[in-house]
Each structure stands twice: as structure tokens, then as C-alpha cells.
Amino acid sequence: MHILFVLGSLRLESSSRRLANAIRVSLPEDTESEVVDGRELPLFDADLESQPKPRSVQIMIDQVDRADALIFVTPEFNYGIPGPLKNLVDWASRPPFNSPLKAKPSLVISQSISPAGGSRAHAQLTAVLSATLTPTYLVPSFTIPAVHEKFDGDGQLTDALTQMRIDATLPGFLHWVAQEANRSTSG
Ligand SMILES: Cc1cc2nc3c(=O)[nH]c(=O)nc-3n(C[C@H](O)[C@H](O)[C@H](O)COP(=O)(O)O)c2cc1C
């Protein structure tokens, strides 16, 4: 199984990247993963959609295409999802209703330094993904509050509760991804 982590934050030392790293090392050994963010992408512009697409866009679309599942890890910016993440989703959402995002099993995780853990961004991203026909794993919202307290100076996850939530969520998510893959090959 191949998982693509989609980050909402561009900065290299971001909590989103740290969380993604903590989840990556918690994945079963036979699961591959890679990480993408919106750093290299131009702003979405329908004039740029005609073939060939900008190289950075095509690379990202190919990453989404070959992933069995997506795990979004995003902060909340001004009560919403960060612009670069929305831009990435907009590029990946084409052609509408038949894009690489269609039927791609996904998990949405938000984080913030605030007690709400980016819950508004979580809800917004889930709504955005419904527009792209991207199914999201049904668990109680995976939001990480006070995220700055969860890592040590080297960026390693030190919070036992967050690790427990990761460990409690991953098996069910991966099982669902496998079920979805079987469903699409048998039907
Ligand atoms: C421009 C900006 C706007 C923000 N707005 C919010 C917000 O509306 N709600 C919130 O909970 N946190 C907000 N924050 C805090 C970030 O969500 C928080 O610092 C997060 O952990 C940053 O994630 P990162 O380390 O992955 O970049 C904002 C931060 C920035 C830079």
C-alpha cells in the first residue's frame, strides 16, 4: 500500500510535517509513503490547464494518482484551510468529478496551537473533499490541540496521547483503504 501525505503547511519545520513523520514511522512495514506540499505549484489558472500542464502540477497529480490513499495534515489559518493546500486540491480536482481525487480514500488531520486543534480547517477540508468526490475516513474529528507542546526540540513526537490516537486510528483506516481497493477492482 502506498500513502501520500498532503501537508497544509509549507514551512520545513512545521508541526504538520512533524505529525506526518510521526505517522509515517507508525505505519506497518509493508506500507510505503511520501509527502507533498503546495510549495512548487503555481496558483491555479485554467489558462495553464491545456497540455502540457506545468511540470510541478503534473508531478503532484501523478503522486495523487499512484497513491492508494491520502492523509491530509493541515494547520488552520484564519479560521480556514491554508491557501497553498486549497490551491493543491484545486489543481488535483481536474477534470471535475473525474479527477485523481475521485474515490481516493483519505484521512483528514488538523492541528493548531489553539485548544480547538484547527477544527474549522478540519471541517472545511472535509467539505472541500466532498466536492471532489474524495471519501474521508469516518472517525471522530482527528484534531490535535496545543500541537506545539507535543514535540521535543528535535521534532520527535513526545505526547503519549497523540501517539495513542495515531495507533488507534491507523489500523481501521488502512483496513478501510484495502476494502475500498478491493471494491474498485471487483466492481
Ligand atoms: C497566518 C496564520 C493564521 C492562523 N490562524 C489560526 C486560526 O485561525 N486558528 C487557529 O487555531 N490557529 C491559527 N494559526 C496558528 C496555526 O494554526 C498553528 O501555529 C499551527 O500549528 C501551524 O502549523 P504548521 O506548524 O504546520 O505551520 C494561524 C497561524 C498563521 C501563521
Side-chain angles (χ1 to χ4, degrees), residues 9 11 14-16 75-79 111-114 120 147:
S9 180
R11 68 191 187 94
S14 73
S15 297
S16 304
E76 177 171 298
F77 283 178
N78 297 312
Y79 290 7
Q111 53 77 16
S112 168
I113 54 176
S114 85
R120 288 161 292 219
V147 72

Side-chain angles (χ1 to χ4, degrees), residues 162-174:
T162 303
Q163 185 64 57
M164 271 174 54
R165 291 179 71 193
I166 292 170
D167 293 339
T169 303
L170 280 182
F173 174 65
L174 298 175

Side-chain angles (χ1 to χ4, degrees), residues 22 42-43 68 125 127 140 146 151 173:
L43 289 177
D68 296 305
L125 181 54
F151 297 91
F173 174 65

Side-chain angles (χ1 to χ4, degrees), residues 8 11 13 18 20-21 23 27 33-34 54 57 59 74 85 98 125 132 137 139 145 158 163 171:
R11 68 191 187 94
E13 307 247 321
R18 289 174 169 183
N21 288 340
I23 299 169
L27 287 168
S33 66
E34 61 182 325
V57 172
I59 289 171
T74 186
L85 177 58
N98 199 20
L125 181 54
T132 61
Y137 186 52
V139 277
T158 52
Q163 185 64 57

Side-chain angles (χ1 to χ4, degrees), residues 35-118:
V35 179
V36 67
D37 64 32
R39 169 183 310 274
E40 304 289 340
L41 304 176
L43 289 177
F44 178 79
D45 177 349
D47 288 341
L48 300 179
E49 278 195 285
S50 49
Q51 297 294 335
K53 292 189 182 64
R55 190 175 141 71
S56 58
V57 172
Q58 193 59 57
I59 289 171
M60 180 275 293
I61 286 173
D62 291 345
Q63 285 178 300
V64 173
D65 212 17
R66 69 172 172 263
D68 296 305
L70 308 176
I71 297 182
F72 291 85
V73 188
T74 186
E76 177 171 298
F77 283 178
N78 297 312
Y79 290 7
I81 63 175
L85 177 58
K86 181 61 164 54
N87 188 50
L88 184 154
V89 171
D90 289 343
W91 273 118
S93 71
R94 312 289 285 174
F97 313 121
N98 199 20
S99 77
L101 287 171
K102 181 181 176 185
K104 189 74 69 179
S106 298
L107 174 64
V108 173
I109 301 174
S110 67
Q111 53 77 16
S112 168
I113 54 176
S114 85

